[in-house]
Amino acid sequence: DKMNKPLVRPTVSLVNNMAGKRVPLIAGDAHKCTQMIYNLVTNACKFTEKGSVSISARHLPDQQRLEIDVADTGRGISEEGQKLIFEPFQQE
């Protein structure tokens, strides 16, 4: 992280469910897509004290969509925080 601490704690497993799988290239802003995935993964790692952070993706050709999942065993977001999460400049 920015403070030179390991991002993933020794008690957390980072699981890549995409190893060996292929997904198609998609049109989009590469910088913003990278930033979004980076933010999801780093937040999952930051708030998971033990357990796992898993990353997976699947192609939904009928919907012309690539679905990316970042799942963790962290504490989660409070009910109040969930109401605000997509508002600009919000942080719990």
Side-chain angles (χ1 to χ4, degrees):
D1 73 356
K2 294 176 184 174
M3 295 171 34
N4 290 326
K5 293 184 196 173
L7 183 61
V8 181
R9 291 176 173 87
T11 55
V12 177
S13 298
L14 187 57
V15 181
N16 175 4
N17 290 320
M18 294 306 302
K21 295 182 182 177
R22 295 178 57 93
V23 293
L25 291 176
I26 57 170
D29 184 318
H31 175 74
K32 287 187 179 183
C33 289
T34 300
Q35 182 179 11
M36 177 185 63
I37 294 168
Y38 174 83
N39 288 345
L40 290 170
V41 172
T42 56
N43 281 344
C45 291
K46 187 186 315 181
F47 295 107
T48 301
E49 294 185 18
K50 63 180 179 177
S52 64
V53 174
S54 302
I55 304 158
S56 57
R58 64 185 179 141
H59 181 222
L60 304 170
D62 295 343
Q63 299 174 25
Q64 297 182 337
R65 185 179 297 179
L66 180 64
E67 187 175 87
I68 300 169
D69 295 312
V70 177
D72 64 69
T73 57
R75 67 180 189 222
I77 301 170
S78 69
E79 197 170 314
E80 188 61 33
Q82 290 177 32
K83 295 175 187 174
L84 303 172
I85 195 164
F86 293 109
E87 296 297 322
F89 309 109
Q90 293 296 322
Q91 190 171 22
E92 187 167 310

